[in-house]
């Protein structure tokens, strides 16, 4: 049950170890890490803008919604902002539960909501120029599937 | 009333400002957008296609029909692309 | 594209770091870790038996099948055997792809197949006595969903 | 032919052995199971409900109808519970 918005990198292993440290009631731990792809070498710059006053609020709301849908023993969202290089970690989510179905579903739900509901915007500079990344229609479709749950 | 407006990503770039305070009597977000559009071409350009613009009122996602009474901060930005 | 069957513990963070080290083409990395639950303190012992000559072969086949279904840049399965204590890591899978849908689906597929097709058997000792864990009917149902893909 | 038989989990415990070599003319896994059942009550007990027993022939999951010609190793065990 934690949310962090930061410019600094994070250590995935440390975060996942902390999430389950001292606990013996977790059966399944799922993590997702988003990374900057170099797009076959075309990417020369990458910047993540966000809306500071809203970001943490939105992520806390997304996490709280996941908590109401699945019996989670722990969850975590970390999202970075600012300039990032190819290969760097952009963000992570983790969900821990007694059983794997809940942990997987919660992690996917966190990702789907975060993609379309947390105020982050990616700007990529490639050999073809700088451009704001377009939202993918598939992201809205991914989000819609949770409405029928 | 005085509203703090915030612009992000290409909305910010088109308007040329990260934000500004405006004095307005707009009843809804749609009214506010109409006022801004009428100001200058750069606003008209930023708000040309409202299907491509999202709005948050006091840090909560809202839409064009949202009333502004009591609001303090209105943000305009493209669909989000985090993750 | 690696499979390891071992008695020793593994370091999840190190494994996930190695999986993406030196690469800038991965956009999404999903990991699943299975842990020994103490069952509200009732668990006093836990043992994983396996079929050494078959285990690695089965896991390699499961991983190869995942590779044919999704465009994965990397994948990993580690499964332990022998006695384990409450809170310990039992196993992990990881899947890396350009996009999140493939990484999530592949990790879930690896788990579903591994649960029902890799020759491991859990024996739990609780305050009520020692017993082999029954296969869950839901595991076969989970597996069946991949047939309609 | 000579087959190496392997038993795991509660199949191993009921039979009381991790494995053994048997001389058999069984044509299929089902024939082999019938032969074993006829040997002693502990085998009959282990193989009482074949819906609860899985079989691998030369380390590949197979079923009762699988022919044994050319096989070297047959393993019996409960449904798997890894992960």
């Amino acid at each position: 049950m934690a949310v962090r918005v930061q410019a600094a990198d994070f250590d995935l292993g440390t975060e996942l170890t902390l999430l389950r440290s001292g606990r013996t009631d977790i059966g399944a731990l799922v993590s997702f890490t988003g990374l900057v792809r170099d797009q076959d070498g075309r990417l020369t710059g990458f910047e993540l803008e966000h809306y500071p006053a809203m970001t943490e609020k939105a992520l806390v709301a997304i996490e709280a919604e996941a908590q109401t849908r699945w019996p989670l023993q722990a969850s975590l969202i970390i999202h970075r902002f600012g300039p990032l290089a190819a290969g760097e970690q952009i963000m992570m989510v983790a969900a821990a539960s007694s059983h794997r179905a809940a942990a997987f579903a919660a992690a996917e739900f966190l990702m789907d909501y975060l993609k379309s509901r947390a105020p982050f915007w990616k700007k990529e500079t490639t050999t073809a120029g700088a451009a704001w990344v377009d939202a993918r229609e598939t992201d809205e479709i991914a989000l819609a599937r949770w409405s029928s749950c | 009333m005085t509203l703090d407006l915030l612009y992000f990503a290409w909305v910010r770039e088109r308007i040329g400002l990260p934000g500004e305070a405006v004095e307005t009597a707009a009843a809804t977000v749609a009214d506010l957008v109409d006022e801004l559009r009428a100001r200058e071409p750069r606003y008209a350009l930023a708000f040309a296609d409202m299907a491509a613009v999202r709005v948050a009122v006091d840090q909560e996602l809202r839409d064009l029909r949202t009333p502004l009474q009591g609001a303090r901060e209105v943000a305009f930005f493209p669909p989000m692309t985090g993750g």
Side-chain angles (χ1 to χ4, degrees), chain A, chain B:
Chain A
M1 337 296 163
V3 160
R4 297 210 315 263
V5 182
Q6 60 190 47
D9 198 7
F10 55 87
D11 187 273
L12 178 61
T14 302
E15 299 300 339
L16 294 176
T17 301
L18 275 175
L19 206 71
R20 66 180 189 84
S21 75
R23 306 193 62 149
T24 51
D25 59 342
I26 297 173
L29 173 60
V30 171
S31 79
F32 176 93
T33 314
L35 302 152
V36 181
R37 285 188 304 130
D38 73 351
Q39 305 181 21
D40 303 319
R42 294 188 306 112
L43 193 86
T44 57
F46 184 95
E47 175 105 21
L48 253 169
E49 183 170 334
H50 77 126
Y51 176 2
M54 178 175 169
T55 313
E56 194 167 319
K57 216 166 145 173
L59 295 178
V60 166
I62 290 165
E63 199 182 39
E65 177 65 26
Q67 297 277 349
T68 67
R69 292 181 178 226
W70 294 279
L72 302 181
Q73 276 127 0
S75 60
L76 173 67
I77 305 176
I78 300 178
H79 209 302
R80 297 175 67 190
F81 58 86
L84 295 174
E88 276 201 80
Q89 299 182 127
I90 302 169
M91 50 74 63
M92 67 166 288
V93 305
S97 187
S98 297
H99 297 289
R100 77 185 189 285
F104 268 118
E108 288 198 72
F109 173 89
L110 289 173
M111 282 308 302
D112 286 348
Y113 263 76
L114 186 155
K115 279 259 173 193
S116 301
R117 297 292 180 264
F120 288 97
W121 302 275
K122 289 182 182 128
K123 189 174 197 173
E124 292 176 348
T125 308
T126 66
T127 45
W132 292 96
V133 173
D134 277 331
R136 292 150 56 99
E137 203 182 333
T138 51
D139 286 335
E140 283 297 324
I141 295 166
L143 196 54
R145 67 178 156 154
W146 301 108
S147 305
S148 57
C149 274
Chain B
M1 71 190 144
T2 306
L3 284 178
D4 287 321
L5 303 189
L6 295 172
Y7 311 123
F8 294 98
W10 57 252
V11 177
R12 171 177 56 70
E13 289 180 343
R14 288 186 191 174
I15 295 176
L17 286 174
E20 59 191 314
V22 296
E23 195 61 38
T24 179
T28 65
V29 172
D31 294 342
L32 176 62
V33 169
D34 284 341
E35 277 184 19
L36 293 168
R37 271 193 195 122
R39 278 185 170 187
E40 286 183 50
R42 59 195 169 109
Y43 289 94
L45 177 67
F47 297 123
D49 175 15
M50 287 307 289
V53 176
R54 300 286 175 270
V55 60
V57 177
D58 292 332
Q59 299 97 44
E60 299 279 352
L61 283 175
R62 297 291 183 241
D63 61 33
L64 289 170
R65 295 160 303 180
T66 303
L68 289 177
Q69 197 180 5
R72 301 185 46 119
E73 183 173 291
V74 180
F76 295 99
F77 41 78
M80 290 153 275
T81 56

